[in-house]
């Protein structure tokens, strides 16, 4: 009985004392393992005979049953965090190891710290990619990895930390583009001083500039606009701040300026409004859209003629397939396709994936009104062999055209592109098809549109997926100053254009003839190494042909095809007619179309004929002789 009692007493004392001195045994072992494996100065003394809950930097829960937080900032820890140490503190809520000299990668087993709320690892020398183990910590609210040597991309998986309110990644070597991070709950975000590139996702653009600074290739959001279509808004109209009295005076001046300015603007607006009302009353029957009616009011924001069009709007043409605005274009990523004679072309990929070509015109001489009227004319040019103009933009600084993106590239690239990249030269069938379809596009432009192309060259002939040709960059000469257009397209320029600088239907035919010669010879008209120096392609072909009618002019790539010589010679004759020195000796474009169609006549299985929906052709494929035929396609709007 007494024994029993004393036993009970002893037991209860033991239990009692163990409760007082209770400690998380597992966590203690993990902590001791961490410290023993990590170099540290002597000042960290964790006495293994006392409770871990009493150690410097360690906090336990109220019952002292687990380690709640571990904070060891700036204590001189050196080297990598050993795995199977801190990762075992599976009740940890707060971990701070900032401002040490820790390096290496974050151990995988950090993913077991599933209850962690705050993780501070800044100001160390950690390396490796963004620690994926950390992205598994779904309850994390603050993550600071700043001022380390982390590299590589910021993973989309940061979105898995759905409770994050602060994400600090500045002063690392993160690269690539920013993923679209859900920033709803995010109050603080910093990725400054990394090597990020591309555009800032819309969700993150609410953060200030300083969150992104120090990433030279990053754009969008609070930084400069991403694409090169618009000049950077950066050039500061605000003078550099001067301290003290001066800046005060300045701001007073500025306030007065703003006050005066806004009064003037208000007055001007009022005047404008009155004028508008007056004007509208005088001509009530006029339609409210642009003079031609080609600008849909909803998209263009037209309310009384294009001059009153809302500024900073892209003007779309009717029947377009796109719905985006200038903002979307600003956010698009853009890549230079080429610097052409009219300006630089960019391939712009809008956020939803739509691809368009944006041409940034240079040296535009036309004023806004003339520009708009002209663009409206061009916008009406619709033909399967013309690259449609979809929209335009005019401001003092920028004149933009938006066109369809043609993935197959240009005829120039097809013919002269690097063969290293696996490009095979086009065979005869596709060259013939390109000749015919390009001619049809041009004939439509001339006959229906009454528009002179003015800039025909193989790099302005684009290819559709079915390898039909599409004429691009047409009809732009009138908006440029005459001098600017002078030396625009040397190898393709008709002799009379060199003198008069006036492009005409006839000079278009000449340039088209040069393109035909290019198709036949495989030679670029701008290439000077054609026999004698300085001789142009037509003269070179003429000289060769005059001498002996040899097959020497033809592209050697075509020599491996059989039974095409007759067709090649026929096309050569058409080309030669087009490049006659005397403009009046050149055929008109409809004739050229018919002549090229004749080259096809011998063919039996002709893919082109099938795709043709020209009502002037009989179902049996018979086509009446030239004089009787209605112009092929050119009348179809
Ligand atoms: C550890 O704690 C025990 C008991 O409190 C004490 O006797 C001992 O001196 C301590 N050891 C060190 C190295 O501080
Ligand atoms: C502490 O332990 C008691 C009983 O062991 C338990 O009822 C209580 O919920 C615990 N408190 C915490 C905060 O875990
Ligand atoms: C996480 O903990 C579990 C058991 O608690 C263990 O089996 C697993 O290996 C740990 N994960 C890592 C990455 O250490
Ligand atoms: C993030 O969460 C998604 C969905 O819950 C999951 O499929 C994915 O594996 C997670 N990523 C990481 C890195 O944990
Ligand atoms: C951004 O950087 C990554 C890697 O650093 C690179 O692969 C990618 O091409 C870059 N993107 C752009 C648009 O510069
Ligand atoms: C970027 O890092 C450099 C040097 O490390 C530092 O001087 C500069 O202040 C940092 N810039 C930002 C925006 O943090
Ligand atoms: C981001 O970090 C940089 C460098 O530490 C700092 O200069 C800047 O003020 C921070 N921006 C924000 C918004 O916290």
């Amino acid at each position: 009985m007494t024994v029993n009692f004393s036993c009970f007493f002893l037991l209860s004392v033991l239990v009692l004392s163990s409760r007082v001195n209770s400690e998380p045994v597992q966590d203690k072992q993990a902590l001791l393992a961490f410290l023993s494996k990590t170099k540290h100065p002597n000042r960290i003394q964790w006495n293994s005979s006392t409770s871990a809950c009493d150690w410097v930097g360690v906090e336990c829960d109220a019952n002292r049953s687990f380690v709640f937080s571990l904070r060891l900032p700036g204590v001189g820890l050196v080297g990598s965090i050993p795995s199977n140490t801190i990762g075992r503190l599976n009740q940890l809520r707060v971990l701070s190891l900032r401002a040490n000299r820790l390096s290496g990668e974050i151990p995988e087993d950090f993913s077991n710290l599933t209850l962690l709320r705050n993780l501070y690892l800044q100001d160390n020398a950690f390396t490796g990619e963004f620690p994926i183990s950390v992205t598994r910590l779904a309850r994390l609210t603050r993550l600071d990895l700043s001022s380390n040597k982390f590299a590589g991309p910021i993973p989309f998986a940061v979105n898995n930390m759905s409770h994050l309110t602060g994400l600090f990644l500045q002063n690392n070597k993160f690269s690539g583009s920013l993923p679209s991070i859900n920033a709803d709950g995010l109050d603080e975000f910093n990725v400054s001083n990394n090597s990020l590139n591309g555009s800032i996702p819309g969700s993150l653009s609410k953060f200030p500039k300083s969150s992104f600074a120090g990433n030279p290739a990053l754009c969008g959001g609070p930084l400069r606009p991403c694409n090169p279509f618009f000049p950077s808004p950066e050039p500061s109209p605000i003078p550099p701040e001067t301290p003290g009295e001066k800046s005060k005076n300045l701001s007073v001046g500025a306030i007065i300026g703003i006050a005066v300015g806004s009064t003037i603007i208000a007055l001007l607006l009022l005047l404008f409004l009155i004028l508008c009302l007056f004007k509208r009353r005088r001509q009530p029957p006029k339609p409210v859209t642009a003079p031609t009616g080609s600008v849909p009011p909803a998209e263009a924001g037209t309310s009384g003629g294009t001059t009153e069009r809302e500024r900073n709007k892209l003007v779309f043409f009717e029947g377009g397939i796109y719905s985006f605005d200038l903002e979307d274009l600003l956010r698009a990523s853009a890549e230079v396709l080429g610097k052409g004679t009219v300006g630089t072309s960019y391939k712009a990929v809008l956020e939803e994936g739509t691809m368009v070509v944006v041409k940034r015109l240079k040296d535009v001489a036309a004023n806004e009104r003339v520009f708009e009227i002209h663009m409206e004319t061009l916008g009406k040019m619709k033909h399967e062999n013309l690259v449609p103009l979809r929209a335009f933009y005019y401001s003092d600084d920028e004149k933009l055209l938006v066109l369809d993106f043609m993935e197959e590239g240009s005829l120039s690239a097809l013919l002269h592109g690097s063969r290293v990249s696996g490009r095979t030269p086009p065979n005869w069938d596709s060259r013939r098809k390109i000749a015919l379809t390009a001619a049809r596009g041009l004939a439509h432009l001339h006959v229906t549109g009454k528009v002179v192309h003015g800039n025909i060259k193989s790099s302005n002939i684009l290819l559709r997926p079915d390898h039909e040709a599409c004429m691009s960059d047409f009809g732009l000469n009138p908006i440029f100053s005459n001098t600017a257009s002078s030396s625009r397209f040397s190898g393709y320029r008709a002799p009379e254009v060199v003198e008069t600088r006036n492009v005409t239907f006839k000079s278009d035919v000449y340039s088209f003839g040069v393109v035909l010669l290019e198709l036949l010879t495989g030679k670029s008209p701008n290439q000077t190494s054609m026999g004698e120096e300085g001789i142009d392609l037509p003269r070179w072909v003429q000289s060769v042909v005059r001498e002996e009618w040899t097959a020497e002019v033809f592209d050697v790539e075509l020599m491996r095809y059989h039974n095409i010589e007759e067709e090649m010679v026929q096309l050569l004759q058409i080309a030669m007619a087009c490049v006659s020195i005397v403009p009046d000796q050149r055929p008109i474009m409809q004739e050229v179309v018919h002549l090229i169609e004749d080259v096809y006549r011998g063919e039996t299985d002709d893919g082109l004929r099938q795709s043709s929906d020209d009502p002037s052709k009989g179902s049996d494929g018979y086509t009446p002789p030239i004089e009787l035929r209605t112009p092929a396609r050119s009348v179809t709007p």
Side-chain angles (χ1 to χ4, degrees), residues 61-333:
D61 68 315
N63 282 354
R64 294 168 75 91
S65 56
F66 59 85
V67 173
F68 179 89
S69 84
L70 176 61
R71 297 173 193 264
L72 297 170
V75 295
L77 300 170
V78 180
S80 56
I81 301 176
S83 58
N84 205 22
T85 57
I86 289 178
R88 273 152 59 195
L89 303 171
N90 56 16
Q91 296 289 320
L92 205 59
R93 306 298 202 280
V94 180
L95 175 60
S96 169
L97 298 172
R98 71 183 162 85
N100 285 290
R101 283 186 287 148
L102 293 167
S103 56
E105 298 190 9
I106 306 298
E108 280 284 305
D109 60 13
F110 265 43
S111 60
N112 265 359
L113 306 175
T114 49
L115 300 175
L116 204 61
R117 304 237 175 82
N118 301 33
L119 179 55
Y120 305 106
L121 299 175
Q122 67 266 36
D123 298 314
N124 280 290
F126 288 115
T127 53
E129 298 219 322
F130 191 104
I132 280 298
S133 52
V134 168
T135 65
R136 305 228 161 86
L137 309 181
R139 301 206 183 175
L140 219 48
T141 60
R142 308 207 52 98
L143 174 60
D144 198 332
L145 300 177
S146 64
S147 300
N148 278 291
K149 291 175 181 167
F150 289 111
I154 296 172
F156 183 77
V158 296
N159 283 304
N160 283 18
M161 301 176 281
S162 52
H163 290 81
L164 226 45
T165 60
L167 179 59
F168 306 91
L169 304 175
Q170 67 268 29
N171 300 320
N172 278 290
K173 290 173 181 167
F174 288 116
S175 60
S177 59
L178 274 170
S180 55
I181 293 173
N182 179 358
D184 288 348
L186 216 50
D187 302 325
E188 286 182 87
F189 178 80
N190 203 333
V191 290
S192 64
N193 253 9
N194 279 290
S195 301
L196 297 167
N197 64 13
S199 60
I200 294 171
S203 59
L204 295 175
S205 53
K206 67 174 182 181
F207 295 106
K209 230 177 192 173
S210 71
S211 290
F212 305 97
N215 293 285
L218 202 59
C219 59
L223 304 180
R224 74 191 154 83
C226 267
N227 63 38
F229 310 143
F230 295 87
S232 156
E234 225 99 342
S236 54
I238 306 147
E241 253 181 70
T242 35
E245 284 262 57
K246 240 185 185 173
S247 82
K248 231 176 212 171
N249 287 344
L250 231 161
S251 63
V252 168
I255 288 165
I256 292 172
I258 288 164
V260 171
S262 45
T263 312
I264 290 173
I265 288 169
L267 282 173
L268 281 174
L269 271 175
L270 199 69
L271 196 72
F272 184 66
L273 231 121
I274 291 168
L275 278 174
C276 285
L277 284 172
F278 191 62
K279 210 173 166 189
R280 201 181 275 181
R281 200 167 294 165
R282 283 204 328 183
Q283 22 176 243
K286 262 216 149 185
V288 287
T289 43
T292 55
S294 69
V295 183
E299 279 165 320
T302 327
S303 61
T306 36
T307 41
E308 293 163 40
R309 203 186 62 245
E310 232 177 279
R311 294 202 74 83
N312 291 327
K313 276 262 183 187
L314 278 172
V315 183
F316 282 86
F317 296 110
E318 216 169 325
I321 48 175
Y322 299 122
S323 58
F324 54 83
D325 57 20
L326 200 60
E327 289 289 301
D328 296 323
L329 205 55
L330 278 170
R331 280 198 298 269
S333 71

Side-chain angles (χ1 to χ4, degrees), residues 372-392:
E372 280 174 4
I373 291 172
H374 193 68
M375 286 309 132
E376 275 155 18
T377 308
L378 297 185
K380 278 187 281 186
M381 297 294 102
K382 299 234 187 312
H383 186 271
E384 56 186 357
N385 300 120
L386 295 175
V387 177
L389 179 61
R390 298 299 187 181
F392 68 87

Side-chain angles (χ1 to χ4, degrees), residues 330-396:
L330 278 170
R331 280 198 298 269
S333 71
E335 159 194 336
V336 176
L337 285 175
K339 285 193 174 30
T341 45
V342 298
T344 308
S345 296
Y346 302 87
K347 168 184 160 187
V349 184
L350 299 164
E351 268 181 351
E352 79 275 25
T354 308
M355 282 186 278
V356 292
V357 168
V358 179
K359 275 185 194 292
R360 189 178 181 189
L361 304 177
K362 61 172 189 223
D363 304 328
V364 171
N367 65 29
E368 184 163 8
R369 185 84 194 121
V370 172
F371 186 88
E372 280 174 4
I373 291 172
H374 193 68
M375 286 309 132
E376 275 155 18
T377 308
L378 297 185
K380 278 187 281 186
M381 297 294 102
K382 299 234 187 312
H383 186 271
E384 56 186 357
N385 300 120
L386 295 175
V387 177
L389 179 61
R390 298 299 187 181
F392 68 87
Y393 170 86
Y394 186 104
S395 76
D396 290 346

Side-chain angles (χ1 to χ4, degrees), residues 494-496 506-507 509-510 577-578 580-588:
E496 74 275 11
K506 289 292 188 187
S507 69
V509 173
Y510 182 96
C578 291
S580 301
I581 303 278
V582 181
D584 286 340
Q585 285 174 4
R586 299 172 200 153
I588 58 170

